[in-house]
Amino acid sequence: MRKSKRRQRTTLIVALALVAGLSAAVPAGADDPAYPFRDPNLPVAERVDDLLSRLTLDEKISLLHQYEPAIPRLGIQSFRTGTEALHGVAWLGKATVFPQAIGLASTWDPALIRQVGSAVGDEARGFQQQRPAGWGLNLWAPVVNLLRDPRWGRNEEGYSEDPYLTGSISTAYGTGLTGGDPDHLKTAPTLKHFLANNNEYHRDTTSSQLRPRVLKEYDEQAFKPAIEADAATGVMSSYNLVNGRPDTVNPALNDTVRTWTSQDLLNVTDAYAPGNLVGSQKYYGTQTEADAAALKAGIDSFTDNDTNSEPTTSAVKSALATGLLKESDVDEAARHVLSIRVRLGEFDPGGGKYGSIDASVIDSPAHRKLARRAATEAAVLLKNDGGALPLRTSGSAAVVGPLADTLYTDWYSGSLPYAVTPKDGIEAKLGTSVASSEGVDRIALKNTATGKYVTAGTGDAGAALKETTDAGLGAQFDVFDWGSGIVTLRSAANGKYVGYNWSNFVNDQTQPNGWFVQQQFKLERQDDGTYLLRYAGYETGESWWSNPVYLGPTGTDGTLGLVAKEQAAHYTKDVVRNGADEAVAAVKGKDTAVVVVGSMPAINGREAHDRTDLGLAPSQEALVRAVRAANPRTVVIVENSYPTTLGALQKEVPALLWTTHAGQETGNALADVLYGDANPAGRLTQTWYRSESDLPSILDYDIIKSDRTYEYFKGLPLYPFGYGLSYTSFRYGGLKRVEGGYEVPVTNTGRRAGDEVVQLYVHQRESRDKQPLKQLKAYARVSLKPGETKTVRLRLRASDLAHWDVTRSKWVVETGTYDVMAGASSADIRTRAALQVNGETIPPRDLSKVTRAENFDDLSGISLVDESKASGTAVSASADGAWLKFADTQLGSGVSALTAQVAGASGTVEVRLGSPTGTLVGTAHFDGSSSPYTYETVTAPLTAAAKGCRDVYLVLRGGVRLWTFSLS
């Protein structure tokens, strides 16, 4: 309301100025500073209102698409939302590539992350002189979706399973991107993806079920800090639905997100998501209805139909003509867009505060140094028995494994300016070459029927695979196993990977890549010992792909194509060179064997593709065992984007180091850690589970009910949240309460300087509601010399102890005892204190008041659904006998009637006491309504047993949807 009044006031000021002739009547040029919107001395709101007043309706509508056209008459250039900048500027050419987001968060170092964000912001500005296709200053980063399930395909893009850690890291990165001045933006970062987006399986049609406590305490808390700190300038709506409503029309975009800041926000849709509202989601009948609803919900910019804005602008114009929208709705969205553009300095002389930044900042020496530091701090030491690490530079080494001498980039990576592989980094550290092997088999595939070999092209561009009699290098392929049966085939003839180009299979790719990763295959062993070569390109998971998937000769010249299984060629798999044997030969006699295993980021876990298991690829695990048997001084580096179960390797090898795909400086960073020039202090930001059996369905978002994440998980993890080892040791003193939080002295008791990440957790001993086992509330990364002690201060406020009270729909801090714990991880608590809090006591429920059904305490067989297309949440039975629990209800001397608002198909609502099968005190019958959104009132008498303080259960049968109810 205050913002609206402010705008009215500034609009009036501008209007009076115009009437009084205080501004020029007709500027001499389109960029004449006489236009108030070009005056950097005026407040942002005044400049926006002035510019908005000069635009025609059509021009304002043109601002609502991702590709905003130029407005020459006002000297306004085109503008584009959506430059990717997750861990460096992507898709624009060579730029500094920092560690993947999960790696950045593993530093637990907000000060460093702010520097990384600032560097990325500078490089985004560095492209502003050339403005290459795809460039813009509205950045789509960071991703703050919580890593609730480690099987999520986009795990690499997020920060943590914990909302506090996610909020602090995203705020740091966003502050670096913006420059820290909300009125003068270096870039305009956008948080992805609002809301509850943590599965790729049917990501545009699955509905994330968020009960109010999970919504308020968990998912929203990941997004709020950066917006509240003005470290982000908007959010991107996600593809999925929440409680039955697509996030593209989630009213929280306006009703919640915009309440977190006084600044204007620019909210955007995900790519092609507006079309999903009519297409896959079938939520609206026309695009006009869909776009109008999205605009009203809080979307300002539509990412749809790529560069073609016409469908969007036509839909908005149609909505205006039919009364679905008012011009004020368009004005509001356009104002949000223009506010960002003004703050970016677009209309300032010389481009404003950051207008002089040029291409010299891209991959600058300072950024290279920063990339190395970030990659070093991101590494997490998982195991170090017997002081296996650090290594001595005087010793010999061999570096083996499929990732020993290569760096892979992911979908949102920039192009590497250079690549320091693990082998490169170790050689540079030792000042000499080292033995190396990828440890992968080289094979030939021979058709058992014809005796011919699968043969690739020998030139740099490769050629279509054929069956020939040539048994030379052209018929040899290196087989990389990435798990789940997926392999890639690299031609020995030219070092290029084999992929499908929709016509032929050609060895022409430097690494697996693309939206459809077409370089994936499976070698399917048959009962007779032969193999079928199956094309397992990413697109085979798409509903529209119906072609055969097996390979066989299809042309008279033996060219391979796709054929039905019964026509598939049967091949022998002849091992030309055994990868494990070669690796063993490389490591024998060396002082240390370094094995680098892990993932290829485009395979088995990426956008639109969840992981199906948590294990390391079987052949990689076998490789480690073979090397370990040949050289007991084996160090294993796991380089991937997510938690891994690691099988028995965790017990078998003396030293384990984890890193994400860490960018151009990966090898130097790993060498710094391995040889002790850097003391590892990275910490895990997710729970590493022992087995997939520790996890429920990836579609289960109720972390409270299903005991998910470290907050509620009761099992024994492989590695706990916050875990990571050091080359030194630390002693904690007593935890002391001080004003604003707690202090704890921490001493480095070892012989090496090192960083400790001090973590503060709380636990509420008693509560009306189920509480987390632990919750991170503060942390600090502190550097200590040997023998040095520092007193670490950790902020903790009373409000940090609040949880969402569903009985009154408000935050509450309950009276009681809270355990405050400080330690090196969530499972390694070194010191604790009891905190007595004088807060509130949640009163018994009063169900005589109208109560929303979604505000239950427990549930079974219930789905959360959209109350209406515009707003609200109702519940429905997903199984007969589904129930809702309303605990600790004060029924007094008795209640006599149930009144409920219901819709949908026919069914009943039973009132029971004590349990879902407890005393039945009344049943309301419903004959059904014409629409799932047409609610009717039903009533039922209740028996005299409905009295006292009881747990009340509502049991739903049939297709009834329940919105609100009361007992009177």
Side-chain angles (χ1 to χ4, degrees), residues 94-232:
K94 291 182 178 180
T96 307
V97 178
F98 293 94
Q100 290 177 311
I102 183 68
L104 292 176
S106 299
T107 68
W108 291 61
D109 190 344
L112 169 65
I113 302 308
R114 180 168 179 168
Q115 292 180 53
V116 171
S118 182
V120 176
D122 283 347
E123 296 203 7
R125 280 282 182 173
F127 288 98
Q128 67 187 346
Q129 313 301 337
Q130 294 79 28
R131 293 171 63 98
W135 172 85
L137 292 175
N138 173 242
L139 307 185
W140 286 355
V143 171
V144 299
N145 296 109
L146 292 165
L147 305 182
R148 166 197 64 100
D149 193 305
R151 295 168 295 190
W152 185 36
R154 306 181 75 168
N155 196 84
E156 68 198 32
E157 297 181 38
Y159 290 135
S160 172
E161 67 185 39
D162 180 77
Y164 177 81
L165 181 58
T166 295
S168 66
I169 296 295
S170 60
T171 298
Y173 190 65
T175 301
L177 291 174
T178 65
D181 178 352
D183 286 335
H184 299 88
L185 298 170
K186 183 189 296 184
T187 67
T190 303
L191 303 182
K192 295 161 68 170
H193 312 80
F194 190 83
L195 183 69
N197 176 213
N198 188 226
N199 65 273
E200 297 302 289
Y201 175 79
H202 291 178
R203 60 179 179 167
D204 59 329
T205 55
T206 53
S207 179
S208 305
Q209 305 284 290
L210 297 187
R211 64 198 290 182
R213 280 194 64 196
V214 175
L215 171 68
K216 294 296 182 182
E217 297 174 22
Y218 192 61
D219 284 277
E220 285 186 357
Q221 294 309 307
F223 287 84
K224 184 177 180 180
I227 297 291
E228 196 171 47
D230 292 325

Side-chain angles (χ1 to χ4, degrees), residues 689-696 707 713 715-717:
Y689 298 96
R690 294 180 178 272
S691 168
E692 293 87 352
S693 62
D694 288 331
L695 296 166
D707 294 331
F713 182 61
L716 180 65

